[in-house]
Amino acid sequence: MWQIDQVTLRLFIAVCEEGTIARAAEREFIAPSAVSKRLADLEALVDVALLSRSQRGVRATAAGEALLRHARLIMRGHERMQAELSQYAAGARGTCACWRTYRRWSSFCPRPCPNS
Amino acid sequence: MWQIDQVTLRLFIAVCEEGTIARAAEREFIAPSAVSKRLADLEALVDVALLSRSQRGVRATAAGEALLRHARLIMRGHERMQAELSQYAAGARGTCACWRTYRRWSSFCPRPCPNS
DNA sequence: CGACCTTACGTTCTACGTAAACATA
DNA sequence: TATGTTTACGTAGAACGTAAGGTCG
């Protein structure tokens, strides 16, 4: 891992909300070991402890809570992005006939295209 | 690809800014074919044409410009997140001695830990 | 003992680069 | 012909799951 990806961000949010890696893994349909490894890699990447482990679960450290706030903002940004794009996909905005028919720009697409 | 990752977002921003896939690939140190494939997968995912291709380069469609705006916001969120985390990594905020020394929580860490 | 986290390890699958093909000014 | 995009394909590396190990209440 060379940069924080939003798969890890979503897993981290789930872990903080569920309180244990095991429950977060179940909620996200992934093995607990995979979650554990992603979290360890994340902590190695940012070089800061994000979770305080115990036998009853995990808890975010101060740095972990800071990351949690940013992660939620970023995920909200993703939701907004996908919401707007789905409007285009539905044809409500600016998708021309050639794309709706062929799912790609082709010579059949009249130029100048309304989206270009 | 099952969801938009920020590697693709950064590549998309580069493509829009450079005007051609080739120059964006050079700027991001990746092969043009890899960029092309990521963009095609992205368009298949959102089911909307994002770029208008030609032999002189590419141009964002209306949907592509919408995505570009969101992508820049998200990347800015990432930058802010990493900036705050690097403050913790530098030890300026809330990192206790045990982590700075051993790079992990250990039994040496006094409890209650200031970060827990 | 039960619940949880972690490590080891084999495997699957994603994402890359190379090379070739295609299109247009 | 030069420039740019796309497709085919083989491969390296990332990420997953299973299984085993370890800790603590």
Side-chain angles (χ1 to χ4, degrees):
Chain A
M1 188 185 306
W2 56 289
Q3 218 183 356
I4 307 177
D5 60 311
Q6 83 269 29
V7 174
T8 302
L9 288 184
R10 197 179 56 251
L11 288 178
F12 186 81
I13 293 173
V15 166
C16 291
E17 288 177 352
E18 299 292 335
T20 72
I21 292 178
R23 274 205 299 270
E26 189 180 8
R27 159 175 152 183
E28 298 290 334
F29 306 104
I30 191 177
S33 64
V35 178
S36 176
K37 178 145 196 343
R38 279 192 105 103
L39 295 174
D41 290 348
L42 175 61
E43 286 177 314
L45 177 67
V46 300
D47 203 29
V48 159
L50 300 170
L51 295 171
S52 170
R53 275 88 165 170
S54 78
Q55 284 66 31
R56 306 223 321 266
V58 296
R59 220 182 121 192
T61 64
E65 292 187 356
L67 184 125
L68 182 59
R69 285 190 295 271
H70 287 281
R72 284 186 170 133
L73 288 176
I74 290 173
M75 294 309 286
R76 191 158 313 196
H78 271 277
E79 291 167 8
R80 273 200 285 262
M81 177 175 66
Q82 307 217 7
E84 182 164 1
L85 287 176
S86 64
Q87 289 188 346
Y88 285 95
R93 299 175 60 178
T95 301
C96 85
C98 118
W99 171 264
R100 281 200 295 273
T101 303
Y102 301 105
R103 289 292 177 254
R104 62 180 302 150
W105 299 96
S106 69
S107 56
F108 301 122
C109 183
R111 298 165 193 267
C113 182
N115 294 336
S116 67
Chain B
M1 188 186 303
W2 56 286
Q3 218 182 354
I4 306 176
D5 61 310
Q6 83 270 30
V7 175
T8 303
L9 288 184
R10 196 181 56 252
L11 288 178
F12 186 81
I13 293 173
V15 166
C16 291
E17 288 177 352
E18 298 292 335
T20 72
I21 293 178
R23 273 205 300 269
E26 188 180 8
R27 160 175 152 184
E28 298 290 335
F29 306 102
I30 190 177
S33 64
V35 178
S36 175
K37 179 146 196 341
R38 278 193 105 103
L39 295 175
D41 291 347
L42 175 61
E43 287 176 312
L45 177 66
V46 301
D47 204 29
V48 158
L50 299 170
L51 295 171
S52 170
R53 276 88 164 169
S54 77
Q55 283 64 32
R56 307 226 318 267
V58 297
R59 225 184 115 192
T61 63
E65 291 187 356
L67 181 110
L68 182 61
R69 285 191 295 271
H70 287 281
R72 285 186 170 133
L73 288 175
I74 290 173
M75 294 309 286
R76 189 159 314 198
H78 272 276
E79 290 167 8
R80 272 200 287 259
M81 177 174 66
Q82 307 219 6
E84 183 164 0
L85 287 177
S86 66
Q87 289 190 346
Y88 284 94
R93 300 176 59 179
T95 301
C96 84
C98 118
W99 172 264
R100 279 201 296 274
T101 303
Y102 301 106
R103 290 290 178 254
R104 62 181 305 153
W105 297 98
S106 70
S107 55
F108 301 123
C109 183
R111 297 166 194 270
C113 183
N115 294 339
S116 66

